[in-house]
Amino acid sequence: MADARALGVIQHARRMIARHVGAPTKYERIDHHTHRIVCLETEVIFHTARSSLDIFERWKEAYESH
């Protein structure tokens, strides 16, 4: 993913997560290719994502498995 596109995808995914649970998200770029989003003590770490929906679904799956 190109950097600008990746950041747009990540930003949209964060908004989707925040709206879903009504809580803010925290984003961290661990290194050039690794990203982390945390919300309500649930985190998703990813290297690539096909779309913001892909990131949201990964986070949601982790959230619901708690």
Side-chain angles (χ1 to χ4, degrees), residues 13 16-25 37-45 54-66:
M16 292 172 70
I17 293 166
R19 281 190 211 124
H20 181 71
V21 294
T25 62
I37 296 175
V38 180
C39 185
L40 297 178
E41 299 181 11
T42 302
E43 72 177 12
V44 62
I45 296 175
D54 180 47
I55 296 169
F56 172 75
E57 290 295 333
R58 291 184 204 186
W59 181 88
K60 186 177 173 188
E61 183 178 317
Y63 179 71
E64 291 175 347
S65 69
H66 280 347

Side-chain angles (χ1 to χ4, degrees), residues 23-34:
T25 62
K26 180 180 176 186
Y27 168 74
E28 178 183 4
R29 188 173 189 165
I30 297 171
D31 62 34
H32 186 68
H33 298 287
T34 308

